[in-house]
C-alpha cells in the first residue's frame, strides 16, 4: 500500500492540535499585552471567573427553582461584565473580540468534525497532507497559468484544423474561465491528445489556482487511483488498512475537483471499468467537477471502456483536443 495515500488519525489530530495550541498562545500573549495597556481589565476578567465558579459551587446546595434563578442571574451578570469589557477594549483602540479565542475554522472550532461529521476544513487539511507526502506542491510551483507558454506550439496551420498554437490558446482561455468561474459550476473537462502536448501542464494550472482559492482538489494518476486507492480499499480484508485509506477514498467522490491524469495507463479490467463508471456517475450526480486527461483518442477510449462511459463523457464534459509536437522532445533537442 502506497504511503502517500494512507492517512492515520494521529496525522490529522496533530494538525488540529497544533492549530488549537497556536490560537491559545495568541490569546495568552494578547491577554498579557492588554493587561499592561488597559488598567482594570485584569480585575474585570477575574470578576467574570469568580461569577462562573461561585455560581457552580452554590448550585450544589440549591433547589431546582433556585438553580434556575441563579443561572439567570449569572447570565445577566456575565452579559453586563462582557459589555463593560468590550467598551474598555474599544475605548483603547482594540477589537471588542481581542480577548476571545479565535479559530481557523469557526464552523467546527478547529475540532475537524461537526455533529459527528467531518468538516469541510478536514478535507483541506487532508489534501495538504497528501500534497506534502508527494512532489505535487513543487510541480505546481513550476506549472501554473503564470508559467504556461504558447511558444512550444507551432503557429503553422495543420491540415484543416487551427494551428497547434491557436488551438492551445483557445483551450488555455477556456481553462482559465473554468478556474475563474468554478464555484458551483459542476463542469467537467476531458483533455485528450498524444503524449507530451501539455495536457498535464494544463491540468496543473487549474489545480494550482483552485487550491489557492481554497477549493478541495484531489489529483491522482489513473494507476494510483485504481491500484493504490480503490483496489486496496475495496478488496482489503484488513480493517486497519481500510480505515487509513478511507479519508482518501471519500475524497475521490467528495472533493470539489477530481483530476484523473493519464487515464489508459492503468491495467484495464472489469474492476477498473466499473469503478470508473461509478466515479463519473456519482460525481456527475453530485455536481462535482472532474478533469480527465488521456493519451487515448475518443475511438480508443470506446474500444477500451464501455460505450456508456465514453458516451456520458462526450455528452456531459467539455472536450479539449490538444495537439502539436512533443514538448519534451522540443525542450531536449531545441527543435520546434
Amino acid at each position: 500500500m502506497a504511503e502517500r495515500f494512507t492517512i492515520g488519525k494521529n496525522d490529522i489530530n496533530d494538525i488540529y492540535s497544533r492549530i488549537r495550541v497556536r490560537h491559545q498562545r495568541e490569546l495568552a500573549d494578547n491577554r498579557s499585552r492588554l493587561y499592561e495597556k488597559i488598567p482594570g481589565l485584569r480585575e474585570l476578567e477575574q470578576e467574570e471567573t469568580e461569577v462562573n465558579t461561585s455560581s457552580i459551587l452554590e448550585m450544589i446546595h440549591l433547589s431546582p427553582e433556585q438553580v434556575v434563578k441563579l443561572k439567570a442571574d449569572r447570565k445577566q451578570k456575565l452579559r453586563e461584565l462582557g459589555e463593560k469589557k468590550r467598551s474598555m477594549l474599544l475605548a483603547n483602540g482594540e477589537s471588542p473580540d481581542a480577548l476571545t479565542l479565535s479559530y481557523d475554522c469557526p464552523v467546527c472550532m478547529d475540532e475537524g468534525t461537526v455533529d459527528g461529521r467531518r468538516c469541510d476544513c478536514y478535507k483541506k487539511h487532508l489534501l495538504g497532507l497528501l500534497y506534502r507526502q508527494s512532489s505535487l506542491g513543487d510541480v505546481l510551483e513550476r506549472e501554473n497559468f503564470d508559467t504556461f507558454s504558447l511558444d512550444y506550439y507551432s503557429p503553422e496551420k495543420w491540415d484543416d484544423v487551427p494551428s497547434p498554437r491557436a488551438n492551445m490558446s483557445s483551450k488555455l482561455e477556456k481553462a482559465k474561465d473554468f478556474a475563474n468561474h468554478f464555484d458551483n459550476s459542476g463542469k467537467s473537462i476531458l483533455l485528450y491528445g498524444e503524449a507530451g502536448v501539455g495536457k498535464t501542464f494544463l491540468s496543473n494550472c487549474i489545480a494550482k489556482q483552485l487550491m489557492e482559492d481554497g477549493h478541495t482538489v484531489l489529483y491522482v494518476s489513473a494507476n494510483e487511483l485504481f491500484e493504490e486507492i480503490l483496489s486496496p480499499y475495496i478488496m482489503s480484508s484488513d480493517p486497519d488498512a481500510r480505515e487509513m485509506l478511507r479519508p482518501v477514498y471519500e475524497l475521490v467522490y467528495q472533493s470539489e475537483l477530481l483530476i484523473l491524469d493519464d487515464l489508459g495507463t492503468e491495467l484495464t479490467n472489469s474492476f477498473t471499468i466499473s469503478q470508473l463508471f461509478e466515479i463519473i456517475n456519482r460525481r456527475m450526480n453530485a455536481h462535482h467537477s472532474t478533469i480527465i486527461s488521456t493519451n487515448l483518442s475518443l475511438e480508443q477510449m470506446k474500444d477500451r471502456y464501455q460505450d456508456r462511459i465514453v458516451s456520458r463523457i462526450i455528452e456531459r464534459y467539455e472536450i479539449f483536443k490538444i495537439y502539436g509536437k512533443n514538448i519534451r522532445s522540443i525542450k531536449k533537442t531545441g527543435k520546434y
Side-chain angles (χ1 to χ4, degrees):
M1 186 183 301
E3 291 186 0
R4 179 189 164 194
F5 297 108
T6 54
I7 306 295
K9 288 184 178 179
N10 289 339
D11 297 322
I12 295 292
N13 289 342
D14 183 57
I15 289 175
Y16 282 107
S17 176
R18 283 187 278 111
I19 290 172
R20 292 193 295 269
V21 168
R22 170 167 54 83
H23 284 300
Q24 289 162 1
R25 286 175 177 168
E26 288 171 352
L27 179 59
D29 291 343
N30 219 22
R31 179 167 278 118
S32 297
R33 177 181 66 82
L34 292 172
Y35 282 175
E36 290 292 325
K37 177 180 179 181
I38 305 174
L41 186 58
R42 183 195 301 270
E43 290 73 21
L44 187 60
E45 287 216 311
Q46 287 174 344
E47 187 176 353
E48 282 183 316
T49 301
E50 289 169 4
V51 170
N52 267 314
T53 55
S54 61
S55 298
I56 292 171
L57 291 172
E58 289 178 42
M59 286 180 193
I60 298 172
H61 306 291
L62 297 178
S63 66
E65 293 79 9
Q66 291 173 318
V67 168
V68 170
K69 184 178 185 307
L70 181 63
K71 285 183 176 180
D73 292 343
R74 181 184 64 178
K75 186 175 181 181
Q76 177 61 30
K77 181 63 175 177
L78 290 174
R79 184 182 298 114
E80 292 171 358
L81 292 171
E83 287 298 326
K84 187 176 180 180
K85 181 166 63 175
R86 283 188 286 274
S87 296
M88 270 188 180
L89 292 166
L90 285 170
N92 285 272
E94 299 287 345
S95 165
D97 299 319
L99 289 174
T100 301
L101 184 65
S102 59
Y103 304 98
D104 277 11
C105 179
V107 176
C108 69
M109 295 187 290
D110 297 333
E111 294 293 337
T113 58
V114 181
D115 298 328
R117 301 184 64 181
R118 286 172 180 156
C119 185
D120 285 343
C121 69
Y122 182 99
K123 301 172 189 176
K124 294 177 182 178
H125 288 307
L126 172 58
L127 286 164
L129 275 176
L130 293 177
Y131 294 141
R132 285 194 291 275
Q133 291 175 190
S134 71
S135 60
L136 184 59
D138 295 333
V139 172
L140 296 186
E141 288 302 316
R142 299 191 305 269
E143 299 185 1
N144 52 70
F145 284 127
D146 290 335
T147 62
F148 194 98
S149 174
L150 293 170
D151 293 343
Y152 295 105
Y153 298 89
S154 171
E156 301 298 323
K157 189 173 181 179
W158 279 31
D159 301 324
D160 296 324
V161 297
S163 70
R165 183 172 298 179
N167 176 63
M168 181 51 92
S169 177
S170 170
K171 300 304 185 288
L172 180 61
E173 290 307 310
K174 288 182 178 180
K176 290 178 179 178
D177 185 72
F178 175 88
N180 290 334
H181 301 92
F182 181 78
D183 289 329
N184 304 315
S185 71
K187 291 182 179 180
S188 295
I189 296 173
L190 171 70
L191 294 161
Y192 79 98
E194 294 182 0
V197 294
K199 301 184 299 296
T200 297
F201 199 126
L202 195 59
S203 297
N204 288 342
C205 293
I206 295 171
K208 168 77 169 175
Q209 178 168 328
L210 292 184
M211 288 167 62
E212 287 183 342
D213 290 343
H215 294 289
T216 53
V217 180
L218 179 61
Y219 195 125
V220 292
S221 70
N223 188 64
E224 288 173 332
L225 176 64
F226 296 113
E227 297 297 323
E228 300 178 18
I229 300 174
L230 297 182
S231 180
Y233 179 79
I234 294 170
M235 303 296 189
S236 177
S237 59
D238 182 350
D240 291 335
R242 283 173 57 86
E243 188 59 30
M244 293 183 75
L245 274 170
R246 181 185 298 276
V248 184
Y249 174 80
E250 292 175 350
L251 279 175
V252 171
Y253 296 100
Q254 297 175 4
S255 59
E256 293 174 85
L257 175 64
L258 169 67
I259 298 180
L260 178 55
D261 196 30
D262 275 340
L263 182 67
T265 58
E266 78 287 351
L267 176 63
T268 306
N269 51 37
S270 59
F271 174 79
T272 57
I273 291 173
S274 64
Q275 290 302 309
L276 178 61
F277 179 79
E278 180 77 0
I279 290 166
I280 291 172
N281 198 50
R282 280 178 58 179
R283 290 188 61 83
M284 196 177 292
N285 291 338
H287 302 287
H288 292 325
S289 297
T290 306
I291 294 177
I292 298 174
S293 74
T294 180
N295 295 343
L296 303 174
S297 68
L298 294 179
E299 287 303 316
Q300 289 171 325
M301 287 183 66
K302 289 179 181 178
D303 290 340
R304 183 182 288 249
Y305 305 105
Q306 293 178 355
D307 187 58
R308 63 174 180 164
I309 293 178
V310 181
S311 296
R312 296 216 78 181
I313 291 174
I314 293 174
E315 176 188 350
R316 302 291 293 274
Y317 282 47
E318 288 191 66
I319 309 298
F320 287 16
K321 182 178 181 179
I322 311 297
Y323 50 87
K325 292 184 178 180
N326 189 303
I327 295 174
R328 287 187 285 272
S329 296
I330 293 173
K331 289 181 176 179
K332 186 179 293 185
T333 63
K335 296 179 180 181
Y336 289 80

